[in-house]
Amino acid sequence: MAAICLDTVATPAGSGREVTAMLAGTALPGAVGPAGETTATTLRTVAGATLLTLTCGSDEGPVPLTLDGGAVMPDPRPARTHLFAGLNVLVALRNGETADGAADGPPDWLAFHRRPQKLQAALIVERAPPGPEADRFAEALAVLRPRLDGLPRVLLVGFDHPLGPPGAAPESHPLNVPEAPGKARMTPPAPDRWRAPLGEGHLYEWLPHAWLSGAHAVAALDLCDLLCPAPSGTTVFETARASGALALLGRHVFPWKSRDPARPGFADHGCLQFDRPRGLRRWCVVPAQMPDNRPWRAHRAGEATAEAVFSFASVCAIAAIRPAGSCPGQALRPRSRWPIRSPANSAMPPQFRAPPRHGPPPTKAPTQAPGAWPSSLP
């Protein structure tokens, strides 16, 4: 398969530039290299894909490379790390979520984290192909942007090449949920690389080169993840500064019934699996404290200690995980789940709360007080 260069980004280095080339994971090892006046600095494989860093004597214009044995001349774009310099940043990938879930309505994903976590900026990577869907999300986010007081920067970036692995089903299909029951009876959907789970895991290692090396701290979440407030009131970004890298551990939360099936909300979710305490991993890092040999990956970055852990809840209807023709998330409730008051609802700012809607009586008694975050979360 032909090698594809997803992006090239340049930063000033002496009288020239340092250029990072990000190749798609389908490229064979050794498919990219320096040419002409360029000199290779590092060639790294992260999550099975290649990142090449090289130096170039010129301070602008195209840079010669070899790609699949042929000469190419990409024109690197300047890194824009100044946009997030000194800020606490959330990074998320949008794969089918609507702007309503990201920045509007009850609740507001950005507003939820803004004050409790002292969030200052967000970088959202658009997974949809260039076209009407991506344009609608960008327009809706721009319309809602003035409502996010105290959040100086929200940036949406995208690619013109799919980031999912070949042959993979859309990420929103229940087949991609480990806890989903009845997988043996499901009919696999048609492959869709644009909406499949992330296959280019080195995307996160590209982020500091292109955008985030100057950030105060960076937390990687999904648009359906809500960070649990710490009892001490310490933010996830402040906690990360103690060690440079912080583990975020979480679990899926499902709805019993949505008030509006066409527009599920965080507060609809109150269904947890008592025999699966955790299984989702995210992270928060301080770029200035990250060594070069500790790459950023989709589910981990650096070395977080067991004592430095934050919890989060990942709500599945917001993530668009829904069988066709059903209430979002409704068919995903295994029998081993029981309802509690929604953790998202109990920690929500008052203006975003909604009365909890429960399903049948629990089959196993809760072990925590109503309204508390699940005690089984770390």
Side-chain angles (χ1 to χ4, degrees):
M1 185 174 291
I4 297 174
C5 186
L6 296 174
D7 190 30
T8 53
V9 60
T11 55
S15 59
R17 290 173 291 172
E18 183 178 82
V19 178
T20 299
M22 174 188 178
L23 266 67
T26 54
L28 297 175
V32 65
E37 62 175 1
T38 61
T39 303
T41 304
T42 59
L43 181 63
R44 306 176 64 188
T45 300
V46 179
T50 301
L51 284 164
L52 171 68
T53 302
L54 46 85
T55 56
C56 176
S58 63
D59 57 2
E60 62 180 11
V63 173
L65 296 175
T66 59
L67 193 63
D68 275 346
V72 295
M73 295 286 290
D75 191 358
R77 58 181 185 80
R80 303 183 67 185
T81 55
H82 64 282
L83 294 177
F84 297 99
L87 301 180
N88 294 328
V89 185
L90 276 184
V91 170
L93 275 59
R94 188 192 89 91
N95 191 1
E97 296 90 350
T98 65
D100 288 349
D104 185 29
D108 173 337
W109 182 77
L110 292 170
F112 179 85
H113 295 104
R114 181 171 57 86
R115 291 180 180 174
Q117 304 298 337
K118 297 181 181 178
L119 176 66
Q120 297 171 306
L123 174 61
I124 300 175
V125 178
E126 173 63 81
R127 291 284 314 277
E133 179 187 346
D135 292 344
R136 284 194 300 269
F137 182 83
E139 292 167 1
L141 200 61
V143 170
L144 300 170
R145 178 69 184 85
R147 304 184 191 181
L148 302 175
D149 296 333
L151 201 63
R153 194 165 316 281
V154 177
L155 183 66
L156 181 67
V157 300
F159 287 83
D160 57 6
H161 184 78
L163 301 180
E171 189 174 19
S172 59
H173 195 277
L175 280 171
N176 290 312
V177 183
E179 308 97 308
K183 289 187 178 182
R185 299 185 299 273
M186 295 181 186
T187 301
D192 188 343
R193 292 189 65 186
W194 285 104
R195 291 171 174 78
L198 181 67
E200 307 293 353
H202 62 321
L203 170 73
Y204 288 91
E205 178 64 11
W206 163 79
L207 291 174
H209 294 280
W211 308 100
L212 300 176
S213 62
H216 177 268
V218 179
L221 295 175
D222 284 342
L223 290 176
C224 57
D225 296 340
L226 296 179
L227 280 169
C228 307
S232 63
T234 305
T235 73
V236 67
F237 303 109
E238 293 166 346
T239 306
R241 288 197 63 84
S243 61
L246 175 66
L248 309 179
L249 305 180
R251 63 191 300 184
H252 284 135
V253 182
F254 293 84
W256 276 108
K257 188 175 183 180
S258 297
R259 295 164 184 79
D260 182 357
R263 189 180 178 186
F266 287 98
D268 293 322
H269 293 69
C271 184
L272 299 168
Q273 187 174 5
F274 60 78
D275 56 356
R276 188 181 179 90
R278 67 188 187 194
L280 305 177
R281 296 184 64 89
R282 309 285 188 262
W283 48 262
C284 180
V285 299
V286 179
Q289 297 178 227
M290 287 290 289
D292 292 338
N293 63 345
R294 298 297 181 188
W296 298 15
R297 303 172 187 265
H299 301 296
R300 62 185 175 91
E303 293 183 349
T305 64
E307 292 75 24
V309 171
F310 253 68
S311 301
F312 68 91
S314 184
V315 296
C316 286
I318 298 295
I321 298 175
R322 62 193 70 178
S326 71
C327 174
Q330 189 172 14
L332 298 181
R333 299 195 301 264
R335 293 180 180 178
S336 58
R337 298 183 181 275
W338 43 268
I340 63 168
R341 180 178 297 176
S342 168
N345 198 29
S346 62
M348 201 72 62
Q351 66 270 32
F352 296 132
R353 290 179 186 166
R357 174 171 287 189
H358 296 301
T363 56
K364 181 174 180 177
T367 57
Q368 68 275 346
W373 286 93
S375 60
S376 55
L377 279 171

